Amino acid sequence: MRNKQTFNYDRSRIPLYLQVASVMRQRIESERWKQGEKISTIEELETEFGVARVTIRQAIEILREEGLLDARQGRGTFVSGRPKDKHWFNLANDLESVVSSIKNNVIRIVHIEENAEAPSLEENEGRPASGYILLRSVQFSDGEPFVVVNLHLARDIFVRDRKRFTRQPALPRILEMRDIALAHAFQTVTIGVADPETSELLEIGLGEPTADCRLVLVDDAGVALYVAKYNYHRNSFALRRDLLPRPKAAKAARARKKSKSR
Amino acid sequence: MRNKQTFNYDRSRIPLYLQVASVMRQRIESERWKQGEKISTIEELETEFGVARVTIRQAIEILREEGLLDARQGRGTFVSGRPKDKHWFNLANDLESVVSSIKNNVIRIVHIEENAEAPSLEENEGRPASGYILLRSVQFSDGEPFVVVNLHLARDIFVRDRKRFTRQPALPRILEMRDIALAHAFQTVTIGVADPETSELLEIGLGEPTADCRLVLVDDAGVALYVAKYNYHRNSFALRRDLLPRPKAAKAARARKKSKSR
DNA sequence: CTCAATTTGTTCGTATGTATG
DNA sequence: ACATACATACGAACAAATTGA
């Protein structure tokens, strides 16, 4: 008979103690295990995760090194901290706020390719420009890298302000160009994994998850001027919004007359 | 001298051959290694990744099992497929489409708690209802589980249609209640990891990344009626939208007169 | 103060997985 | 394919610190 764990282990191949540590870290992060609180005993965790004592201890050891847990012989194991403050990058919900939030970011260009291959475009993402520049940059917050950007920028846009495009985020500069009329700004968010380059730049492990955000700007002539892939550090990514737009206000008001309970 | 690889390995602790496999998979997925093409020889890969021959072979073996690579003695290794099509679940951009997309989903309730603890609410997420029901369910697509939902539902809502709330997605049913006026539908998307329960239900490894989506419905009296956490399988999650709303059309039209190049 | 229960710390033996050359 | 070294995981036994009866 195979127990639950061999089962889980079969599924992921990643060392068990890392998997366990990962879950426990999340519990601290989400405050399911609160600051200063005593967590379950090793034996309870053994049962819950269905792994050996030593494996739980290895996981605890990792979190201890990260300063999240503090184990005391005879007393128990306590939460001694939370994962270092994540400076959430709040993925904005419209272009204006995307722009204002990144305008003053510290960026470091790590690669420029003057005659880059055209990026591949989806069905409805417009047609390619006549030539592209490839810019790879890293953006920092509090000295920590939090996103790697791979940008294909239409060459004729790039040459209009070489200097600035190689020093500051491109988006604000493009929006400043009054003669450019954007028809669409397609954004797609998925979960990806760090390739060697990204892992190097974001200072995370190869294969660790990232939030991958693709942004394609299409002008009114149907040309994809700006095709970028943002690889966010998993911890500095969040997206918040209210799905209820104004129109609902009418409905709300209408209903308010009828019932006012709860 | 430590090479690039030892460096990454130190950072991630995940077995080397998995890291290598992860990178090679990415190359196939991104078509850097195209379908049917012969990839580099093992010796070249050895050098590139700075690992032993056997380690490369282990990585190739994994991708072979996934049907992505085909190694032939004396000839070389060839790309024989792309990662299996992910049936993206397209996270909708407004409540109406969220509802219509899930209305007919197959769900399986795995847990009901009639007297649940109140969910913790953020600053602006309203005040708690007088009582909550906790419903945990799994939703399937093509027989594959793709999302686990933990829902705290206000008890007075639940009792109005016990039957349906325990069989079908709650959201459509709530929107049908004409006497309920929603003021907000707050959504937050982050990247999380699978805990034992979620990993079991989604059939993924413990600690694997998930897209965590929190949805809070607040009525016009400021009560949080519906507080849910959706844990999506990483491969069935995507969020697409156009950041340019109608208003921009005016600007586009204005600019169109001026320039029409590119 | 002592004792027992609880809880973490340590060690052994064994089996299998990972990585090198 | 082989020899070697080290890491991962299990189960079990025992040691050491803490707590409260």
Side-chain angles (χ1 to χ4, degrees):
Chain A
M1 195 201 85
R2 72 207 277 169
N3 62 22
K4 187 159 128 195
Q5 271 47 50
T6 355
F7 188 54
N8 273 333
Y9 197 45
D10 283 357
R11 268 206 287 266
S12 100
R13 294 199 223 231
I14 289 173
L16 245 188
Y17 72 99
L18 292 181
Q19 299 182 34
V20 174
S22 180
V23 174
M24 301 204 304
R25 192 183 299 106
Q26 179 92 343
R27 289 192 181 169
I28 297 169
E29 202 166 324
S30 67
E31 299 206 290
R32 175 165 158 189
W33 285 351
K34 299 188 202 339
Q35 180 71 243
E37 204 178 80
K38 176 178 174 303
I39 69 172
S40 323
T41 66
I42 294 190
E43 283 189 20
E44 284 165 346
L45 294 169
E46 251 177 84
T47 314
E48 189 195 350
F49 289 94
V51 300
R53 182 189 192 77
V54 192
T55 307
I56 296 290
R57 290 185 46 78
Q58 275 174 296
I60 291 177
E61 180 55 29
I62 286 187
L63 299 183
R64 209 221 290 257
E65 280 167 18
E66 292 175 15
L68 304 185
L69 287 181
D70 185 21
R72 301 296 187 81
Q73 193 171 129
R75 293 183 54 202
T77 306
F78 302 81
V79 179
S80 59
R82 289 193 61 194
K84 68 165 181 228
D85 267 11
K86 359 180 178 181
H87 15 72
W88 291 114
F89 174 84
N90 214 330
L91 200 65
N93 294 308
D94 57 278
L95 252 196
E96 303 295 349
S97 48
V98 168
V99 167
S100 68
S101 71
I102 66 172
K103 197 175 304 190
N104 299 313
N105 273 5
V106 178
I107 82 167
R108 195 182 85 216
I109 302 274
V110 294
H111 179 74
I112 298 184
E113 211 173 300
E114 290 265 347
N115 291 298
E117 254 187 280
S120 60
L121 293 169
E122 296 291 320
E123 189 77 24
N124 62 347
E125 290 179 340
R127 53 195 171 76
S130 57
Y132 285 95
I133 305 296
L134 176 60
L135 289 161
R136 178 151 42 234
S137 62
V138 191
Q139 303 193 4
F140 296 82
S141 166
D142 292 334
E144 302 268 337
F146 73 99
V147 64
V148 174
V149 187
N150 264 284
L151 166 62
H152 285 262
L153 183 60
R155 188 191 292 115
D156 49 0
I157 303 277
F158 177 73
V159 296
R160 287 168 60 176
D161 196 346
R162 264 200 147 72
K163 198 159 188 172
R164 190 152 150 208
F165 280 122
T166 54
R167 278 179 180 71
Q168 282 170 40
L171 219 39
R173 184 66 189 90
I174 294 178
L175 287 241
E176 275 175 20
M177 298 181 173
R178 304 298 298 187
D179 58 324
I180 296 195
L182 295 180
H184 296 285
F186 295 116
Q187 187 189 53
T188 306
V189 181
T190 54
I191 297 184
V193 295
D195 61 28
E197 170 117 44
T198 308
S199 89
E200 187 74 21
L201 295 171
L202 282 188
E203 297 170 14
I204 60 177
L206 201 53
E208 273 188 46
T210 54
D212 292 357
C213 176
R214 178 181 170 89
L215 183 58
V216 180
L217 300 187
V218 182
D219 73 2
D220 61 344
V223 177
L225 306 174
Y226 175 107
V227 182
K229 182 148 183 191
Y230 291 73
N231 298 103
Y232 288 94
H233 188 295
R234 134 181 157 62
N235 282 343
S236 25
F237 168 84
L239 186 146
R240 288 179 230 272
R241 50 186 182 156
D242 191 340
L243 295 178
L244 272 189
R246 278 357 95 202
K248 279 291 175 291
K251 184 181 172 186
R254 176 158 39 78
R256 199 172 299 122
K257 291 180 208 150
K258 296 177 61 180
S259 143
K260 199 75 192 211
S261 54
R262 267 183 324 282
Chain B
M1 194 201 84
R2 75 205 277 167
N3 61 23
K4 188 157 127 194
Q5 276 56 41
T6 356
F7 183 57
N8 274 331
Y9 194 43
D10 284 356
R11 197 149 45 212
S12 92
R13 298 201 225 220
I14 291 172
L16 245 189
Y17 73 100
L18 290 181
Q19 297 187 34
V20 173
S22 175
V23 173
M24 302 204 304
R25 191 184 300 107
Q26 179 106 342
R27 288 190 183 170
I28 296 169
E29 197 167 338
S30 68
E31 300 206 289
R32 176 166 158 191
W33 285 351
K34 298 190 204 341
Q35 180 71 241
E37 204 177 82
K38 177 179 175 303
I39 69 172
S40 322
T41 65
I42 293 191
E43 279 190 27
E44 284 164 347
L45 293 169
E46 247 177 87
T47 315
E48 188 194 350
F49 288 95
V51 300
R53 184 184 193 79
V54 189
T55 307
I56 296 291
R57 289 187 46 80
Q58 278 173 296
I60 291 177
E61 178 55 27
I62 285 189
L63 299 183
R64 207 218 295 253
E65 282 168 17
E66 292 176 13
L68 305 184
L69 288 181
D70 185 21
R72 301 295 186 84
Q73 198 171 103
R75 291 180 51 203
T77 305
F78 301 82
V79 180
S80 58
R82 291 193 62 193
K84 71 162 182 225
D85 269 8
K86 336 183 184 188
H87 25 72
W88 293 116
F89 175 84
N90 214 332
L91 199 66
N93 294 306
D94 57 275
L95 253 195
E96 303 296 347
S97 48
V98 168
V99 167
S100 67
S101 72
I102 65 173
K103 197 174 309 190
N104 299 313
N105 275 3
V106 179
I107 81 169
R108 196 184 85 215
I109 303 274
V110 294
H111 180 72
I112 298 185
E113 213 173 299
E114 291 265 348
N115 290 299
E117 255 187 280
S120 60
L121 294 169
E122 296 290 320
E123 189 78 24
N124 61 348
E125 290 178 342
R127 54 195 172 78
S130 58
Y132 285 95
I133 306 294
L134 175 60
L135 289 161
R136 177 149 49 232
S137 64
V138 192
Q139 303 192 5
F140 296 82
S141 165
D142 292 334
E144 304 265 336
F146 74 99
V147 63
V148 174
V149 186
N150 264 283
L151 164 62
H152 285 261
L153 184 60
R155 189 190 294 119
D156 47 2
I157 303 279
F158 176 73
V159 296
R160 286 170 61 177
D161 197 346
R162 264 198 149 73
K163 198 160 187 173
R164 191 155 149 208
F165 280 124
T166 54
R167 280 177 179 71
Q168 281 170 41
L171 218 39
R173 185 66 190 90
I174 295 179
L175 288 242
E176 275 175 20
M177 298 180 174
R178 305 298 298 186
D179 59 324
I180 296 194
L182 295 179
H184 296 284
F186 295 116
Q187 189 190 51
T188 306
V189 181
T190 54
I191 296 184
V193 297
D195 61 28
E197 170 118 41
T198 309
S199 91
E200 188 72 22
L201 295 172
L202 284 187
E203 296 171 15
I204 59 179
L206 200 55
E208 272 189 47
T210 54
D212 292 356
C213 176
R214 179 183 170 87
L215 182 57
V216 181
L217 301 187
V218 182
D219 74 1
D220 62 345
V223 177
L225 306 175
Y226 174 107
V227 182
K229 181 148 183 189
Y230 291 74
N231 298 105
Y232 289 94
H233 188 295
R234 126 182 160 67
N235 283 341
S236 26
F237 169 84
L239 188 147
R240 291 178 229 274
R241 49 187 183 157
D242 191 340
L243 296 178
L244 273 188
R246 283 352 99 206
K248 278 291 177 290
K251 185 180 171 185
R254 176 158 38 78
R256 198 174 298 123
K257 293 181 205 149
K258 295 176 65 178
S259 144
K260 197 76 193 211
S261 54
R262 267 182 325 279

